[in-house]
PDB file of all heavy atoms in Angstrom:
ATOM      1  N   MET A  27      94.772  60.551 117.947  1.00 98.00           N
ATOM      2  CA  MET A  27      94.325  60.314 119.327  1.00 98.00           C
ATOM      3  C   MET A  27      92.829  60.024 119.250  1.00 98.00           C
ATOM      4  O   MET A  27      92.048  60.884 118.832  1.00 98.00           O
ATOM      5  CB  MET A  27      94.604  61.553 120.187  1.00 98.00           C
ATOM      6  CG  MET A  27      96.082  61.947 120.180  1.00 98.00           C
ATOM      7  SD  MET A  27      96.483  63.312 121.299  1.00 98.00           S
ATOM      8  CE  MET A  27      96.355  64.726 120.200  1.00 98.00           C
ATOM      9  N   LYS A  28      92.449  58.773 119.622  1.00 98.00           N
ATOM     10  CA  LYS A  28      91.081  58.330 119.338  1.00 98.00           C
ATOM     11  C   LYS A  28      90.381  57.714 120.552  1.00 98.00           C
ATOM     12  O   LYS A  28      91.013  57.040 121.372  1.00 98.00           O
ATOM     13  CB  LYS A  28      91.103  57.284 118.211  1.00 98.00           C
ATOM     14  CG  LYS A  28      91.705  57.830 116.926  1.00 98.00           C
ATOM     15  CD  LYS A  28      91.798  56.763 115.846  1.00 98.00           C
ATOM     16  CE  LYS A  28      90.486  56.568 115.135  1.00 98.00           C
ATOM     17  NZ  LYS A  28      90.655  55.720 113.914  1.00 98.00           N
ATOM     18  N   MET A  36      90.308  54.197 123.673  1.00 98.00           N
ATOM     19  CA  MET A  36      91.354  55.109 124.132  1.00 98.00           C
ATOM     20  C   MET A  36      92.730  54.673 123.612  1.00 98.00           C
ATOM     21  O   MET A  36      93.514  54.052 124.332  1.00 98.00           O
ATOM     22  CB  MET A  36      91.367  55.210 125.664  1.00 98.00           C
ATOM     23  CG  MET A  36      90.013  55.565 126.254  1.00 98.00           C
ATOM     24  SD  MET A  36      89.364  57.133 125.590  1.00 98.00           S
ATOM     25  CE  MET A  36      87.779  57.203 126.433  1.00 98.00           C
ATOM     26  N   VAL A  37      92.975  54.989 122.374  1.00 98.00           N
ATOM     27  CA  VAL A  37      94.204  54.537 121.727  1.00 98.00           C
ATOM     28  C   VAL A  37      94.853  55.653 120.918  1.00 98.00           C
ATOM     29  O   VAL A  37      94.188  56.567 120.434  1.00 98.00           O
ATOM     30  CB  VAL A  37      93.954  53.353 120.766  1.00 98.00           C
ATOM     31  CG1 VAL A  37      93.656  52.075 121.542  1.00 98.00           C
ATOM     32  CG2 VAL A  37      92.865  53.660 119.766  1.00 98.00           C
ATOM     33  N   PHE A  38      96.163  55.531 120.794  1.00 98.00           N
ATOM     34  CA  PHE A  38      96.910  56.257 119.777  1.00 98.00           C
ATOM     35  C   PHE A  38      96.964  55.335 118.562  1.00 98.00           C
ATOM     36  O   PHE A  38      97.128  54.119 118.710  1.00 98.00           O
ATOM     37  CB  PHE A  38      98.328  56.568 120.259  1.00 98.00           C
ATOM     38  CG  PHE A  38      98.381  57.579 121.366  1.00 98.00           C
ATOM     39  CD1 PHE A  38      98.506  57.170 122.688  1.00 98.00           C
ATOM     40  CD2 PHE A  38      98.297  58.936 121.100  1.00 98.00           C
ATOM     41  CE1 PHE A  38      98.557  58.092 123.729  1.00 98.00           C
ATOM     42  CE2 PHE A  38      98.349  59.874 122.135  1.00 98.00           C
ATOM     43  CZ  PHE A  38      98.483  59.446 123.444  1.00 98.00           C
ATOM     44  N   GLY A  59      89.618  65.466 124.185  1.00 97.00           N
ATOM     45  CA  GLY A  59      89.778  64.906 125.513  1.00 97.00           C
ATOM     46  C   GLY A  59      91.040  64.089 125.697  1.00 97.00           C
ATOM     47  O   GLY A  59      91.161  63.350 126.662  1.00 97.00           O
ATOM     48  N   HIS A  60      91.967  64.206 124.735  1.00 98.00           N
ATOM     49  CA  HIS A  60      93.240  63.481 124.831  1.00 98.00           C
ATOM     50  C   HIS A  60      94.404  64.462 124.702  1.00 98.00           C
ATOM     51  O   HIS A  60      94.253  65.556 124.177  1.00 98.00           O
ATOM     52  CB  HIS A  60      93.366  62.430 123.723  1.00 98.00           C
ATOM     53  CG  HIS A  60      92.225  61.482 123.656  1.00 98.00           C
ATOM     54  ND1 HIS A  60      92.035  60.474 124.574  1.00 98.00           N
ATOM     55  CD2 HIS A  60      91.193  61.389 122.780  1.00 98.00           C
ATOM     56  CE1 HIS A  60      90.937  59.786 124.245  1.00 98.00           C
ATOM     57  NE2 HIS A  60      90.406  60.335 123.169  1.00 98.00           N
ATOM     58  N   ASN A  61      95.559  64.018 125.176  1.00 98.00           N
ATOM     59  CA  ASN A  61      96.788  64.752 124.886  1.00 98.00           C
ATOM     60  C   ASN A  61      97.898  63.733 124.658  1.00 98.00           C
ATOM     61  O   ASN A  61      97.692  62.527 124.808  1.00 98.00           O
ATOM     62  CB  ASN A  61      97.160  65.724 126.015  1.00 98.00           C
ATOM     63  CG  ASN A  61      97.863  65.043 127.169  1.00 98.00           C
ATOM     64  OD1 ASN A  61      97.559  63.903 127.524  1.00 98.00           O
ATOM     65  ND2 ASN A  61      98.812  65.725 127.770  1.00 98.00           N
ATOM     66  N   CYS A  98      98.720  59.492 127.206  1.00 98.00           N
ATOM     67  CA  CYS A  98      97.647  60.476 127.297  1.00 98.00           C
ATOM     68  C   CYS A  98      97.357  60.607 128.780  1.00 98.00           C
ATOM     69  O   CYS A  98      96.939  59.648 129.432  1.00 98.00           O
ATOM     70  CB  CYS A  98      96.412  60.001 126.549  1.00 98.00           C
ATOM     71  SG  CYS A  98      94.954  60.980 126.922  1.00 98.00           S
ATOM     72  N   MET A  99      97.593  61.792 129.303  1.00 97.00           N
ATOM     73  CA  MET A  99      97.550  61.984 130.752  1.00 97.00           C
ATOM     74  C   MET A  99      96.234  61.533 131.387  1.00 97.00           C
ATOM     75  O   MET A  99      96.264  60.784 132.361  1.00 97.00           O
ATOM     76  CB  MET A  99      97.885  63.445 131.065  1.00 97.00           C
ATOM     77  CG  MET A  99      98.252  63.699 132.498  1.00 97.00           C
ATOM     78  SD  MET A  99      96.865  64.384 133.357  1.00 97.00           S
ATOM     79  CE  MET A  99      96.816  66.027 132.613  1.00 97.00           C
ATOM     80  N   PRO A 100      95.056  61.950 130.874  1.00 97.00           N
ATOM     81  CA  PRO A 100      93.820  61.519 131.548  1.00 97.00           C
ATOM     82  C   PRO A 100      93.478  60.044 131.375  1.00 97.00           C
ATOM     83  O   PRO A 100      92.610  59.537 132.089  1.00 97.00           O
ATOM     84  CB  PRO A 100      92.729  62.403 130.922  1.00 97.00           C
ATOM     85  CG  PRO A 100      93.322  62.999 129.716  1.00 97.00           C
ATOM     86  CD  PRO A 100      94.805  62.942 129.830  1.00 97.00           C
ATOM     87  N   HIS A 101      94.132  59.339 130.470  1.00 98.00           N
ATOM     88  CA  HIS A 101      93.764  57.935 130.210  1.00 98.00           C
ATOM     89  C   HIS A 101      94.906  56.960 130.456  1.00 98.00           C
ATOM     90  O   HIS A 101      94.930  55.876 129.866  1.00 98.00           O
ATOM     91  CB  HIS A 101      93.230  57.792 128.773  1.00 98.00           C
ATOM     92  CG  HIS A 101      91.983  58.608 128.539  1.00 98.00           C
ATOM     93  ND1 HIS A 101      91.884  59.560 127.547  1.00 98.00           N
ATOM     94  CD2 HIS A 101      90.804  58.628 129.217  1.00 98.00           C
ATOM     95  CE1 HIS A 101      90.678  60.121 127.613  1.00 98.00           C
ATOM     96  NE2 HIS A 101      90.009  59.579 128.614  1.00 98.00           N
ATOM     97  N   VAL A 102      95.815  57.332 131.342  1.00 98.00           N
ATOM     98  CA  VAL A 102      96.897  56.398 131.697  1.00 98.00           C
ATOM     99  C   VAL A 102      96.315  55.127 132.303  1.00 98.00           C
ATOM    100  O   VAL A 102      96.784  54.023 132.023  1.00 98.00           O
ATOM    101  CB  VAL A 102      97.888  57.062 132.679  1.00 98.00           C
ATOM    102  CG1 VAL A 102      98.904  56.042 133.181  1.00 98.00           C
ATOM    103  CG2 VAL A 102      98.610  58.216 132.007  1.00 98.00           C
ATOM    104  N   MET A 106      96.377  54.249 127.743  1.00 98.00           N
ATOM    105  CA  MET A 106      96.470  55.001 126.493  1.00 98.00           C
ATOM    106  C   MET A 106      97.888  55.528 126.386  1.00 98.00           C
ATOM    107  O   MET A 106      98.221  56.609 126.877  1.00 98.00           O
ATOM    108  CB  MET A 106      95.449  56.144 126.436  1.00 98.00           C
ATOM    109  CG  MET A 106      95.452  56.859 125.084  1.00 98.00           C
ATOM    110  SD  MET A 106      94.045  57.955 124.874  1.00 98.00           S
ATOM    111  CE  MET A 106      94.487  58.754 123.309  1.00 98.00           C
TER     112      MET A 106
HETATM  113 CU1   CU B   1      93.271  59.940 126.087  1.00 79.93          CU
END
Side-chain angles (χ1 to χ4, degrees):
M27 303 185 266
K28 300 177 81 169
M36 307 303 178
V37 288
F38 291 99
H60 306 286
N61 81 324
C98 167
M99 196 259 289
H101 298 123
V102 173
M106 185 168 173

